[in-house]
Each structure stands twice: as C-alpha cells, then as structure tokens.
Amino acid sequence: LTWKVTGRASGPVDRRVRAQEGYAMRVEHIGLATLYLGDCREVLPTLAPCDLILTDPPYGIGADKAKAHSTIRDNDAWERMDWDNATPPAWLFGLMREKAGTLMVWGGNYFADMLPATSGWLCWRKPEAETGFSLADIELCWTSLDFAARTKTLPRRDGNEHPTQKPVALMEWAMSFSPKAETVCDPFLGSGTTGVAAVKMGRTFIGIEREPKYFEIACKRIEDAQRQASIFDQPAARAEQHGLAL
C-alpha cells in the first residue's frame, strides 16, 4: 500500500495513489472537489451520503464511438473504449437512491425498469429540434423530486472532450431544482461537467471516473473552474483617496 502526494498549479493538491493487487486508485482534492479515479461500483459504497447525486450514466447504446456524433465517430483521434456497451446494474441505482437525498439521472428513459415512476422529469430541448437533426431532439432526466415536468432549451454542446458531454448550463439548471443541496456527487464523472457546474455554484463536489483519460480531463476542467471561482470570490480592493502634494 503506497501513497504519493503532489500538487497542482492552482494550489496544493493531495494526490493519493493506491497500488494493491494490481488495482490503482487516485484521489484528487481540488478546492471544493474530491475526485476518485476508480470504478463507482467499488468506490460509491465506501462514501458517506450526500445531498444530491446528479449523473449521466452509460446508456448501453455504444455511444462511445460507433453511435457518437460524426465529429467523434469519423475522427481517428477518438479511440473506441467500450464504456457504453452496457447499462449500470439495478443494484447501483438502488445504492444511489440510498446515498442521496435527491437523485437525478440523465437518460432516465433508458433505465425505466430500474427506477420508480416519477412526475419530476426534466427535458432538455436542443436548438436543432424539429429540423430533422440526426441525433435526439430532446434528452430526459429522471429525478426523485415531486414537481410538474419542466423543459429547457439549451445549446447541444459547449465542449468536445467526451462523446456524450453535456453543457455546463444544463447541469446548473438541473441543480437549481435542488437549491438546498450543499454536497453534489456524480458517480459517472466523464469529462467533469457536473463538477464544473457544482464548483461554479459554490457546492462541494464528489466525482468518480474509471477511465484515466477522462479523469485527467475532468481534473483540469474542474481545476480551471475552481480557479475562476476563486478569482470572483476575492474581496474587492478597498478604494483609498490620496491627496496631491502641491
């Protein structure tokens, strides 16, 4: 069992590397965020409960490459990683419901057999809707909340680091339905969009990602968001009046 501590440019970071029986896990502490490199099926059971789990799990439709948008599907720089070959197991959805005061799951329509009925659906409408766009006009988020379903039109992408990357504004909108949630967790971190939104909104964040490539991207994006948040949180310099020596 070994531990390694390093730092990042934005300030001190506690990086821990565990190597035991061929399994390695890193834990990054970046401002308000704690990020785990590991499988959420192993990490999540060890974590304390949180106020909100907001996540976008694999849908089991092969969207990592073959069914991704043409900018990814036809780009040789994007390797096939097979992380979207299957949906998470039913017990993991049960665990997420136990761990979170509120649960929100994008792509909830793919998991209808593993989640209870709800009135609290969120619908993301894309600007390309009703134009014959090749991908879905809308995407749905299942929530454990009791409210009338709501729709929001937002741009389809604000980055291209991950095949199924959601815009930050979308996650901020989802979080607005749980305004008292101080601690937010995303067990399927991907490129870190939920973490970026949480940090921008001043909420403590916990993220888990098993793919090292996306974990590194998430760390950088959340670190950048934390740096921006820190700049805006700094108190303004006090104005002082000085006389002129005549």
Side-chain angles (χ1 to χ4, degrees), residues 17 46 52 54 64 66 70 78 80 92 118 134 156 161 163 166-167 180 186 188 202 219 222 225-226 232 240-241 246:
V17 181
T46 70
L52 169 65
L54 171 57
D64 63 307
S70 58
W78 286 88
R80 185 180 181 92
L92 188 55
T118 183
S134 60
R156 187 169 58 86
E161 289 89 1
K166 301 292 188 291
K180 295 182 179 180
D186 186 350
F188 298 92
C219 286
I222 292 170
Q226 183 68 57
F232 288 112
E240 296 183 6
Q241 185 174 1
L246 299 176

Side-chain angles (χ1 to χ4, degrees), residues 74-103:
D74 302 333
N75 187 343
D76 292 337
W78 286 88
E79 70 271 34
R80 185 180 181 92
M81 301 179 73
D82 295 331
W83 51 261
D84 196 31
N85 283 352
T87 62
W91 68 262
L92 188 55
F93 287 99
L95 179 63
M96 288 192 287
R97 291 173 61 198
E98 292 175 6
K99 287 284 186 177
T102 298
L103 175 61

Side-chain angles (χ1 to χ4, degrees), residues 170-194:
L170 181 68
M171 293 308 192
E172 292 177 327
W173 176 59
M175 278 186 223
S176 72
F177 289 88
S178 187
K180 295 182 179 180
E182 297 180 357
T183 305
V184 180
C185 175
D186 186 350
F188 298 92
L189 180 60
S191 60
T193 299
T194 308

Side-chain angles (χ1 to χ4, degrees), residues 106 109-110 122-140 151-157 166 170:
W106 283 99
N109 46 305
Y110 289 97
L122 300 178
C123 175
W124 168 31
R125 183 184 183 276
K126 302 169 188 177
E128 299 88 352
E130 303 179 53
T131 65
F133 179 55
S134 60
L135 300 179
D137 284 359
I138 63 168
E139 295 191 33
L140 299 174
T151 297
K152 183 82 167 178
T153 301
L154 288 167
R156 187 169 58 86
R157 302 181 78 89
K166 301 292 188 291
L170 181 68

Side-chain angles (χ1 to χ4, degrees), residues 140-152:
L140 299 174
C141 180
W142 180 99
T143 83
S144 60
L145 298 171
D146 182 16
F147 60 80
R150 292 289 181 257
T151 297
K152 183 82 167 178

Side-chain angles (χ1 to χ4, degrees), residues 1 15 38 65 88 98 101 111 125 127 134 147 152 163 166 192 199 209 217 234 237:
L1 182 65
R15 174 181 294 181
K65 180 72 173 178
E98 292 175 6
F111 315 120
R125 183 184 183 276
S134 60
F147 60 80
K152 183 82 167 178
K166 301 292 188 291
V199 166
E209 174 56 40
I217 293 171
Q234 290 179 1

